[in-house]
């Protein structure tokens, strides 16, 4: 997401030699290429060490493009960090490399996570992944472009979404009436937004994949027929349009509507875009479920520093720290109390629309070790479903076959 460097930050709050130095690898969230993530961890570890003089924390901030690979390489080399804050945990849980949440956190902290996030952190019904920050998705729209096209309100149904996109194109020639990023950066999230808006997702209630269900095929077919085939998704084919590109186009005033997460607020407003947000439309109105997304933090067993890692993680998940990190990055807190504090604070008013659906949100099946392979297949293939001559059913059938094979290989985990 940002900085292309590795930054080692060793705190300096202890009065004498420490008994343990915890190794911590974290992702860089600074979308502007600055030092905000580095500064956050530097201040946090200094405060922690001043209260725990026998524990030092050695922090390495890595860009999102390499942090998962960095931790993977460390684990393979037998040099796992004590704590890692990355994108996925299931593979490490499946190979018994992680402490469970109840082994490291206090009862109070372990019980503080929002229920859908805690559930998503489970592998084989035991929680190993601790949600670090979260987000939901809303429909963003450009108020200036809407006014120029004579559009008075944001769409609430799929039919209204199509009609609004048509007006944007016909009345003012908007380049991207509805930006549809189905490129390999985050196509699995954009697709899940649509599936959820129609009442389904990638899995059934029991956790088995059902990617090519009749309703999912209908959903992707609707997107192809009503948006892509009508030329309402812009000059870049959805299969080649990445989220970052779509967000940048929105910030340039070239996009009428798109599905976005809270970080787009800062990007667009910095560029002077007058924007609005509403729930993502469904076939007949606002759907019951919205997509939630979380990044994860986990504690590795390798060095045996369970107690010290637990003390540090309890500190990380204090309301003060959870709210500070989420607030500075336009993301959402993962605990009940911090979420309530954000909802009550007027300075976070822009995030209220994202906060409201989070407690009932649906997350991707990140607890399944097969999900990494399935997610990669969705990223590479789903754009073909809406391409000229593409077959939504054939593409979803192919993804579902990959999912079934990956599930069998992982033992259904």
């Amino acid at each position: 997401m940002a900085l292309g460097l590795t930054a080692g930050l060793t705190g300096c709050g202890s009065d004498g030699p420490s008994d343990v130095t915890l190794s911590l690898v974290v992702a860089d969230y600074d979308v502007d290429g600055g030092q905000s993530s580095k500064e956050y961890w530097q201040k946090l570890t200094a405060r922690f060490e001043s209260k725990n003089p026998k524990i030092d924390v050695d922090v390495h901030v890595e860009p999102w493009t390499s942090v998962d690979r960095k931790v993977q390489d460390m684990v393979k080399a037998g040099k796992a960090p004590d704590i890692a804050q990355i994108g996925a945990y299931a593979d490490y849980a499946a190979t018994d490399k992680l402490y469970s949440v109840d082994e490291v956190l206090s009862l109070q902290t372990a019980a503080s996570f929002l229920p859908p996030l805690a559930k998503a952190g489970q592998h084989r019904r035991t929680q190993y992944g601790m949600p670090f920050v979260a987000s939901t998705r809303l429909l963003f729209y450009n108020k200036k472009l809407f006014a120029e096209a004579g559009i008075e309100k944001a769409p609430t149904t799929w039919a209204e979404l199509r009609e609004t996109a048509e007006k944007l194109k016909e009345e003012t020639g908007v380049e991207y009436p509805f930006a549809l990023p189905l490129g390999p950066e985050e196509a699995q999230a954009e697709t899940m937004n649509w599936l959820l808006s129609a009442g389904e997702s990638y899995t059934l209630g029991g956790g088995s994949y059902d990617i090519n269900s009749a309703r999912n095929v209908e959903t992707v077919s609707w997107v192809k027929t009503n948006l892509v085939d009508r030329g309402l998704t812009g000059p870049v084919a959805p299969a080649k349009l990445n989220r970052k590109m779509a967000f940048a186009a929105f910030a340039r005033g070239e996009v009428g509507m798109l599905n976005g997460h809270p970080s787009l607020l800062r990007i667009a407003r910095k560029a002077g875009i007058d924007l609005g947000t509403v729930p993502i439309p469904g076939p007949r109105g606002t759907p019951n479920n919205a997509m939630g997304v979380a990044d994860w933090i986990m504690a590795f067993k390798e060095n045996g520093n369970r107690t010290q890692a637990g003390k540090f993680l309890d500190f990380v998940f204090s309301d003060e720290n959870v709210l500070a990190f989420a607030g500075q990055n336009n993301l959402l807190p993962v605990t009940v109390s911090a979420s309530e504090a954000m909802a009550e604070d007027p300075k976070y008013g822009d995030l209220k629309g994202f906060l409201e659906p989070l407690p009932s949100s649906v997350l991707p099946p990140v607890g399944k070790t097969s999900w990494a392979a399935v997610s990669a297949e969705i990223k590479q293939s789903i754009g073909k479903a809406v391409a000229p001559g593409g077959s939504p059913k054939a593409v979803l059938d192919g993804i579902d076959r990959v999912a079934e094979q990956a599930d069998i290989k992982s033992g259904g985990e």
Side-chain angles (χ1 to χ4, degrees):
M1 285 180 67
L3 224 53
L5 70 148
T6 302
L9 313 171
T10 302
C12 53
S14 58
D15 298 322
S18 65
D19 291 338
V20 169
T21 296
L22 296 174
S23 171
L24 170 65
V25 178
V26 298
D28 183 8
Y29 284 76
D30 198 317
V31 296
D32 299 320
Q35 300 289 306
S36 64
S37 291
K38 177 180 177 180
E39 291 169 358
Y40 172 84
W41 288 108
Q42 196 168 36
K43 291 176 181 177
L44 183 146
T45 54
R47 286 187 287 113
F48 172 77
E49 290 176 351
S50 70
K51 297 178 180 180
N52 299 272
K54 295 300 182 181
I55 307 174
D56 282 349
V57 184
D58 184 18
V59 188
H60 295 268
V61 180
E62 293 280 342
W64 266 113
T65 52
S66 61
V67 67
D68 289 280
R69 173 65 65 179
K70 171 75 173 179
V71 172
Q72 187 180 74
D73 290 345
M74 293 173 72
V75 172
K76 285 182 178 179
K79 298 179 180 178
D82 292 291
I83 301 169
Q85 187 271 300
I86 51 179
Y89 67 88
D91 284 347
Y92 301 122
T95 51
D96 197 31
K97 293 188 176 359
L98 303 179
Y99 290 115
S100 64
V101 167
D102 61 8
E103 288 179 310
V104 287
L105 294 183
S106 67
L107 289 174
Q108 181 179 355
T109 303
S112 69
F113 298 120
L114 289 162
L117 304 183
K119 183 177 180 181
Q122 293 179 0
H123 175 77
R124 286 193 162 186
R125 300 185 180 181
T126 297
Q127 187 181 352
Y128 295 93
M130 291 162 271
F132 181 65
V133 285
S135 68
T136 56
R137 301 293 192 265
L138 294 176
L139 178 73
F140 283 67
Y141 63 97
N142 185 311
K143 290 184 177 180
K144 178 182 177 183
L145 296 179
F146 269 44
E148 290 174 351
I151 301 167
E152 297 181 354
K153 66 183 184 71
T156 60
T157 67
W158 285 359
E160 290 177 359
L161 180 70
R162 182 193 64 216
E163 292 166 3
T164 301
E166 287 173 337
K167 282 186 179 180
L168 287 165
K169 181 180 180 180
E170 294 167 2
E171 299 295 330
T172 59
V174 173
E175 194 163 1
Y176 295 86
F178 183 90
L180 183 68
L182 294 180
E185 181 184 358
E186 208 192 22
Q188 84 290 354
E190 179 67 20
T191 303
M192 188 170 169
N193 281 324
W194 286 96
L195 303 186
L196 280 172
S197 71
E200 294 207 7
S201 187
Y202 293 124
T203 57
L204 296 168
S208 59
Y209 290 108
D210 192 31
I211 295 171
N212 62 343
S213 70
R215 185 175 292 180
N216 286 350
V217 172
E218 289 175 2
T219 296
V220 178
S221 297
W222 188 94
V223 173
K224 176 178 174 12
T225 302
N226 290 272
L227 297 179
V228 183
D229 290 352
R230 291 171 182 254
L232 301 177
T233 54
V236 179
K240 297 185 180 297
L241 184 68
N242 281 324
R243 180 192 64 183
K244 186 176 181 179
M245 298 165 59
F247 281 14
F250 187 82
R252 293 193 300 268
E254 299 169 0
V255 175
M257 300 175 287
L258 83 169
N259 297 325
H261 58 60
S263 293
L264 181 55
L265 290 170
R266 183 170 63 181
I267 297 169
R269 288 198 168 129
K270 185 176 180 181
I273 301 297
D274 185 13
L275 63 88
T277 59
V278 293
I280 293 174
R284 290 167 293 279
T286 303
N288 292 329
N289 295 318
M291 185 180 71
V293 177
D295 296 328
W296 304 95
I297 194 164
M298 62 215 69
F300 284 86
K301 291 180 175 181
E302 186 170 305
N303 302 316
N305 295 325
R306 179 180 65 85
T307 301
Q308 294 87 349
K311 284 185 178 182
F312 180 70
L313 288 166
D314 277 332
F315 185 74
V316 167
F317 285 112
S318 68
D319 281 355
E320 175 188 1
N321 292 326
V322 170
L323 193 57
F325 192 88
Q328 81 173 28
N329 291 286
N330 266 37
L331 292 168
L332 306 181
V334 295
T335 63
V336 173
S337 54
S339 294
E340 291 172 348
M342 177 175 276
E344 294 170 0
D345 192 331
K347 76 177 180 181
Y348 298 118
D350 286 350
L351 295 175
K352 186 175 180 180
F354 295 95
L355 271 172
E356 289 175 347
L358 184 59
S360 60
S361 63
V362 178
L363 278 75
V366 292
K368 295 170 72 70
T369 54
S370 57
W371 173 241
V374 176
S375 176
E377 181 64 23
I378 295 168
K379 291 178 183 180
Q380 294 301 319
S381 300
I382 195 63
K384 301 172 186 175
V386 300
S391 168
K393 185 177 188 311
V395 171
L396 290 178
D397 283 347
I399 296 171
D400 198 71
R401 284 194 295 272
V402 170
E404 289 180 359
Q405 292 166 5
D407 220 22
I408 291 170
K409 186 177 181 181
S410 68
E413 297 178 342

